[in-house]
Amino acid sequence: MNRVETWRRLLAEFAGTAMLVAAVVGSGIMATSLSPGNVGLQLLQNSIATAFALGALILTFGPISGAHFNQVVSAADWWLGRRHGTGLTGKDLARYAAAQTLGAIAGSVLANTMFDRAPVSISTTVRTGAHLWLGEVVATAGLLLLIFALVRSGRAAVAPAAVGAYIGAAYWFTSSTSFANPAVTIGRAFTDTFAGIAPSSVPAYVGAQLVGLLVGLGLTAALYPHAGADAGKVVVPSSLPGEKP
């Protein structure tokens, strides 16, 4: 993780997370405009746009920062790699988390503004209930297991397609529509649109995601006990041809 300058990695995490949230929020606004009253079709449009955007963003920013865009991915990378000297350092983790959170908020502001809404409109969509929190645990644990399975088996090159496909599918097979990302959850509180989540619902969602982090780490450790040795390759190796350490 030390081949690319820190400021470039943080900029990549900020910009990538911002564009991801802009895609989630913007496609939600467009979906409600194009398909008023049809929530199923709106969710389909939202999920397809998000899946495609996520894959493209991982391809774009992966070689710079690893394209985490997600504190639970960064935390898992740090935790699993700490004994092997791979992946993020503790300082990197804190910096990534801050960049991802700020980027997510910026993404909501950008999407709101693009669609001629108030730049900041705090969401009023309450999302609460044990079934939704369970959905977040499942979505988050599955995402982490997928990422580290790809890395450990030498298939990190397909991560953009696989991660995008997983998130697109998880919109439908989880009750929570698969936020699976603390930064994105916080960012989506800043838009009172289809993709929004009320601030009062954010802590429980983030708590469920942290539980999903623990479950995902446990499954990864059991199924891929040496995954930490390859933590530096999550999600996409952060190195560019011809660049010196």
Side-chain angles (χ1 to χ4, degrees):
M1 294 296 293
N2 60 354
R3 291 182 63 89
V4 179
E5 297 95 328
T6 298
W7 72 267
R8 291 170 61 196
R9 289 188 281 133
L10 296 179
L11 177 59
E13 286 297 299
F14 173 88
T17 310
M19 293 179 69
L20 173 59
V21 173
V24 173
V25 174
S27 62
I29 296 172
M30 181 67 81
T32 56
S33 175
L34 295 176
S35 307
N38 191 331
V39 178
L41 185 54
Q42 291 168 4
L43 185 63
L44 178 62
Q45 294 161 340
N46 191 208
S47 63
I48 291 174
T50 300
F52 285 170
L54 180 56
L57 291 170
I58 292 173
L59 285 171
T60 302
F61 296 105
I64 305 297
S65 67
H68 294 184
F69 313 147
N70 187 337
Q71 288 101 332
V72 295
V73 174
S74 297
D77 186 45
W78 165 74
W79 179 259
L80 291 174
R82 72 198 192 288
R83 294 181 180 176
H84 300 270
T86 59
L88 294 177
T89 65
K91 184 179 291 186
D92 282 335
L93 173 59
R95 290 169 171 168
Y96 267 46
Q100 291 156 357
T101 301
L102 293 174
I105 295 170
S108 273
V109 172
L110 176 60
N112 288 337
T113 305
M114 282 196 296
F115 285 89
D116 198 25
R117 307 291 181 94
V120 174
S121 56
I122 302 302
S123 177
T124 57
T125 303
V126 175
R127 302 174 188 263
T128 187
H131 64 297
L132 299 180
W133 303 332
L134 177 60
E136 282 301 286
V137 173
V138 171
T140 306
L143 174 63
L144 292 178
L145 182 59
L146 168 65
I147 290 171
F148 283 95
L150 292 173
V151 170
R152 185 56 186 162
S153 60
R155 296 175 293 166
V158 303
V163 173
Y166 174 83
I167 292 298
Y171 260 75
W172 292 90
F173 74 74
T174 64
S175 56
S176 63
T177 66
S178 183
F179 285 47
N181 184 327
V184 168
T185 304
I186 293 169
R188 287 169 65 169
F190 288 79
T191 180
D192 193 18
T193 59
F194 181 78
I197 177 172
S200 61
S201 300
V202 169
Y205 260 57
V206 172
Q209 291 155 5
L210 294 179
V211 174
L213 166 63
L214 297 178
V215 173
L217 285 172
L219 288 172
T220 299
L223 297 172
Y224 298 93
H226 302 292
D230 296 310
K233 300 176 183 178
V234 174
V235 173
V236 177
S238 56
S239 60
L240 294 172
E243 294 204 359
K244 297 179 180 180

